[in-house]
Amino acid sequence: DVANIVYPLVFGSVTVLGLPLNAFSLWILLRRHSINSPSAVYMVNLAISDLLLVISLPMRIYFYATCTWPLDHQACIWIMMLFHNNIRSSSIFITFICVDRLLAVVYPLRSRHLRSSSRAWKAAGLVWLCVVIVNVPESVSFSKFLNNSGKKACFEFNPPPLTQSIDYLQPVLVLTMLAINILCTTMVSWTLCRHLSPSVMVNNKVNVMLLFIMNLVMFTLFFLPVSLVNVVDSWKPFSTALLCLASVNCCLDPLLYYFSFDGFWKKKEESSLSLQRITGIKKQKQRI
């Protein structure tokens, strides 16, 4: 069967590329960049989410290569939850990065009190808490379904009714995050074209806009199709293929880190410098 060759090959390639890329990116984020910035906090959590996805792929490779499942139902559920959690958490963290960048570019001075690392860590913790809470009814429902079915398999089955109702949460979440990304992209592109000096536009505009375009591509190509597969009947035969496609997102996130730190951090430094200059001018006026 072609599927027994293609699916293990895709998942294997994602594992081989995604594991070192995200591990190295996480190391770079923790060692080379300040975690005092909200953008870095969100990127660290995004890298962790991608690593959790990558470590779940070897068992998918084994299943599709051999058509057998050697573990129990609980292991199957955990691996499925890791995959679902990556789509949900990644879409949220990428949106957080997008919003943080919007605030830094469009409202660099007024948003400084909002863009703190403590707020970012609280937001990230809330995201993981919500993701785990959603996992609870999903896991219980899947466990009952698999135990009643008596099948020694994983991944290739129709979801039980409860998870089908929860599946509507994911497309709504992804569509909402996509709408926010589109709005942020529009506002940032308008600001870059009209309000930045020529030197800043040359240095930052390309990288910043590439980053926003990458975010939109990630949503439309990787997150949205796999989120809609359980609510669009005509897409269900392609569910495994869309899962393969969605897994590729963890290999592209390191590019997001590169463009963010190459473009956005310059903007952040310039904003900080502008704030220092404004503060210095005010102090001079007060002295006069």
Side-chain angles (χ1 to χ4, degrees), residues 85-144:
N85 291 349
N86 174 259
I87 301 298
R88 295 163 185 170
S89 60
S90 293
S91 63
I92 296 174
F93 287 131
I94 288 176
T95 303
F96 282 176
I97 294 170
C98 186
V99 172
D100 181 71
R101 194 159 299 106
L102 165 73
L103 295 175
V105 173
V106 181
Y107 310 106
L109 301 181
R110 285 182 288 176
S111 65
R112 287 181 64 85
H113 68 286
L114 296 175
R115 298 176 54 248
S116 64
S117 60
S118 61
R119 292 177 185 270
W121 282 114
K122 290 176 182 178
L126 182 61
V127 170
W128 288 115
L129 178 62
C130 293
V131 166
V132 172
I133 290 175
V134 173
N135 285 165
V136 174
E138 280 185 312
S139 300
V140 172
S141 181
F142 264 118
S143 180
K144 292 180 180 179

Side-chain angles (χ1 to χ4, degrees), residues 130-240:
C130 293
V131 166
V132 172
I133 290 175
V134 173
N135 285 165
V136 174
E138 280 185 312
S139 300
V140 172
S141 181
F142 264 118
S143 180
K144 292 180 180 179
F145 174 78
L146 292 174
N147 290 332
N148 293 333
S149 66
K151 295 180 179 180
K152 188 68 174 179
C154 190
F155 310 128
E156 295 291 334
F157 50 76
N158 294 323
L162 178 58
T163 58
Q164 287 179 346
S165 62
I166 293 178
D167 278 338
Y168 285 97
L169 172 65
Q170 185 163 314
V172 170
L173 171 67
V174 172
L175 285 170
T176 302
M177 297 297 104
L178 175 59
I180 295 173
N181 275 266
I182 292 174
L183 178 62
C184 292
T185 302
T186 303
M187 294 180 66
V188 169
S189 61
W190 183 84
T191 301
L192 290 174
C193 291
R194 292 177 176 268
H195 292 287
L196 293 183
S197 64
S199 61
V200 176
M201 289 178 65
V202 170
N203 292 331
N204 288 344
K205 181 179 178 180
V206 173
N207 283 345
V208 171
M209 290 312 303
L210 278 175
L211 184 56
F212 277 90
I213 292 172
M214 276 188 59
N215 290 343
L216 296 179
V217 170
M218 295 278 281
F219 272 89
T220 55
L221 189 60
F222 301 125
F223 298 153
L224 190 58
V226 74
S227 299
L228 295 176
V229 69
N230 287 326
V231 296
V232 180
D233 291 336
S234 60
W235 290 11
K236 289 183 178 180
F238 309 102
S239 59
T240 305

Side-chain angles (χ1 to χ4, degrees), residues 248-261:
V248 178
N249 85 87
C250 69
C251 297
L252 298 182
D253 282 337
L255 289 177
L256 185 149
Y257 310 146
Y258 169 78
F259 284 118
S260 181
F261 283 114

